[in-house]
Amino acid sequence: MTRILVPLAILEGESVSAGLTSLLQPMNVTVLGYHVVPEQTPPDQARLQYEERATDALEDLASEFGAEDGTAEYRLVFTHDRTQTIDRVAAETGSDVYAIRGATGPVDRLLVALTGDVAVERICSFVAELIGDREIGATLFLATDDEEGGRELLELAATPLADRGIDVRTELAVDEPPFEALLDAAADHDAVVMGERAPSLRSLVFGEEADRVAAGSVGPVLVVRQREDDSEESADRTANGDDS
């Protein structure tokens, strides 16, 4: 079963919505409570000061994700570098997906972004596992300047999901800025699934666009991490003219 990493600035009061908790219920979850300390402050010193308070909050969150059933765990890290810590803990825990919190209620439909240099097959496989037999629909989204190739890619990606009984729709944005088109499409969905190498992802997660997410542009975002063998799939798509 796929493990999902949920990073939270635990001492800043960050939490998760009930909708995200329910969405991730069938998966294995690691809640990463982190606290960024100033360069001049040793992380061990911050741990001595804040560990008890942070641990109490993490235990409550892990319980919401199913710690009592053995499907959720937590890590607590005091760090100088948030990005480096998230990447390291994801690797240590074998997490294939990041969850970026966002406000949402019950999740009825996911937006699955296939734009950019991403592993389409692995993203769709994760979506199928996440949805399982629940009544959650999926919209496959692609922004490209190759309309014919884009439609072919969406059709190929949708077929295995539809074969599993999932309500699948497709949405193609042609000759539009990919990131802006994605945000527009996300407004009609409860959560987003996308690949790590999608355009502007780093800015979505760690940069200025995160403010747009916080402002309510989109709900939670699940980011399927890149693997070394993903480049082979991407290369095949490029060779076949399917890449955007």
Side-chain angles (χ1 to χ4, degrees), residues 200-233:
S200 298
L201 176 64
R202 281 287 173 182
S203 62
L204 172 68
V205 178
F206 300 114
E208 295 179 356
E209 277 77 6
D211 292 336
R212 300 167 68 178
V213 176
S217 298
V218 298
V221 180
L222 305 181
V223 183
V224 179
R225 298 180 66 215
Q226 180 193 8
R227 288 179 178 169
E228 290 185 3
D229 56 359
D230 288 346
S231 59
E232 297 178 5
E233 179 184 336

Side-chain angles (χ1 to χ4, degrees), residues 1-2 23 26-27 97 110 112 120-138 140 157-168 193 222 224:
M1 182 181 298
T2 298
L23 178 63
M27 316 301 285
V97 177
L110 301 170
V112 182
V120 172
E121 184 175 344
R122 201 157 63 82
I123 292 173
C124 290
S125 177
F126 166 69
V127 169
E129 181 186 7
L130 177 66
I131 292 177
D133 58 359
R134 295 185 289 179
E135 296 293 329
I136 299 175
L140 304 186
T159 298
L161 295 176
D163 288 345
R164 300 181 68 148
I166 296 173
D167 175 17
V168 185
V193 179
L222 305 181
V224 179

Side-chain angles (χ1 to χ4, degrees), residues 14 36 38 41 56 68 71 84 91 99 134 164 187 193 202 205 214-215 226 235:
E14 285 190 353
V36 179
T41 302
D56 288 344
E68 294 179 357
T71 58
Q84 186 180 69
R134 295 185 289 179
R164 300 181 68 148
V193 179
R202 281 287 173 182
V205 178
Q226 180 193 8

Side-chain angles (χ1 to χ4, degrees), residues 32-36 47 58 75-79 85 88-89:
L32 169 61
Y34 66 86
H35 182 65
V36 179
R47 179 177 289 276
L58 282 172
R75 297 281 186 96
L76 174 62
V77 177
F78 294 87
T79 179
T85 293
R88 176 179 60 79
V89 175

Side-chain angles (χ1 to χ4, degrees), residues 178-195:
F179 188 65
E180 284 72 12
L182 171 63
L183 286 181
D184 288 344
D188 297 325
H189 295 77
D190 303 304
V192 176
V193 179
M194 60 197 306

